[in-house]
Amino acid sequence: MNAMPDRIYLPPRTAHVWRVATQVAPGSRPPLPVVLGAEERRTLDRMRSPIERRRRLVAWIRRREILARCLGCGPAEIVFVRDEHGRPSIASPAGHGLRFSLSHTGEVALIGVSRQAIGVDVERTDRLLSAQRLADRFFDPEESAWLDRLSSADRTEAVLRLWVLKEAVLKAMGGKVPSGLSRCRIRFDGLVPVLDSWAGATVAPQLHL
């Protein structure tokens, strides 16, 4: 999915998702951050790890390149703003109707673009965590009860899957991690995840997970 045409056409009710490799080979030079905005540069300057700084730089430049091909402009022309939840959106160019979402971990980033609400998340599967403690603290009681019925071998994978789905929903709908994780309840219809409730409402938004 990394290969992109000169211009990307996004029909209504569709989404494109790119998987981006963010590693920089030893001895090679990372891309120049000339297209980044002031906020992006300040964030990079505050990062202490050179490796993480390079990975974030690659992900952000790639995001600008993808959005520029959707908008028909140059990567440096895009101006981002953030809402009260911290979600970035495109302030300029205006009138485009594009939504986007970015997630990165280790040497992988996901970039999603749509004309509707969209959220993406990616996590490492080798994270050391206490699955049940995490679920009891941040998940809905029904989700915690479901996880408690699983074997210990299946529980960690299920917690990570739920976490990824929930964080993607929060990015699409608005909310912060980890405090907002209990705002949405997800159930599985067989293997298909379904948003069962949102912020206490019995009728959840129609999101495809």
Side-chain angles (χ1 to χ4, degrees), residues 83-85 87 99 101 116-120 165-176 183-184 195 197-199 203-207 209:
D83 63 14
E84 67 274 15
H85 301 292
R87 290 182 302 175
R99 310 279 189 90
S101 182
Q116 299 186 102
I118 185 171
V120 300
L165 289 165
K166 283 170 164 286
E167 189 161 343
V169 170
L170 290 177
K171 288 181 177 182
M173 300 301 298
K176 294 184 178 180
R183 296 186 69 197
C184 56
L195 182 59
S197 70
W198 168 253
V203 179
Q206 296 298 309
L207 295 182
L209 304 185

Side-chain angles (χ1 to χ4, degrees), residues 3-185:
M4 295 183 296
D6 291 336
R7 182 72 184 268
I8 301 171
Y9 173 63
L10 275 174
R13 304 188 66 80
T14 63
H16 288 186
V17 178
W18 287 263
R19 183 180 186 273
V20 175
T22 60
Q23 73 268 27
V24 179
S28 65
R29 299 181 62 183
L32 294 175
V34 292
V35 302
L36 298 185
E39 181 186 355
E40 293 164 311
R41 291 170 183 265
R42 286 193 295 268
T43 301
L44 288 177
D45 289 341
R46 290 194 297 266
M47 298 183 69
R48 296 183 178 181
S49 169
I51 294 176
E52 289 305 316
R53 189 183 303 119
R54 289 186 174 198
R55 289 173 177 171
R56 187 75 61 91
L57 174 60
V58 171
W60 283 354
I61 289 179
R62 190 63 164 156
R63 174 179 63 180
R64 282 183 172 270
E65 290 173 345
I66 290 171
L67 291 174
R69 287 183 166 90
C70 294
L71 295 166
C73 67
E77 297 176 51
I78 300 173
V79 178
F80 296 117
V81 293
R82 292 184 179 273
D83 63 14
E84 67 274 15
H85 301 292
R87 290 182 302 175
S89 60
I90 302 170
S92 179
H96 47 76
L98 284 185
R99 310 279 189 90
F100 68 91
S101 182
L102 167 68
S103 180
H104 43 78
T105 183
E107 297 181 345
V108 173
L110 291 182
I111 301 170
V113 184
S114 178
R115 297 192 181 278
Q116 299 186 102
I118 185 171
V120 300
D121 187 50
V122 58
E123 300 288 346
R124 295 172 62 101
T125 58
D126 59 353
R127 291 176 58 185
L128 296 175
L129 51 84
S130 174
Q132 193 61 43
R133 184 183 303 174
L134 194 69
D136 290 341
R137 183 176 180 184
F138 296 119
F139 288 4
D140 181 272
E142 291 189 23
E143 294 166 333
S144 295
W146 171 71
L147 290 166
D148 196 37
R149 294 192 293 269
L150 300 178
S151 67
S152 58
D154 295 333
R155 192 174 299 137
T156 298
E157 180 180 351
V159 165
L160 282 171
R161 189 178 185 203
L162 269 177
W163 184 287
V164 167
L165 289 165
K166 283 170 164 286
E167 189 161 343
V169 170
L170 290 177
K171 288 181 177 182
M173 300 301 298
K176 294 184 178 180
V177 175
S179 60
L181 292 172
S182 60
R183 296 186 69 197
C184 56
R185 184 173 68 237

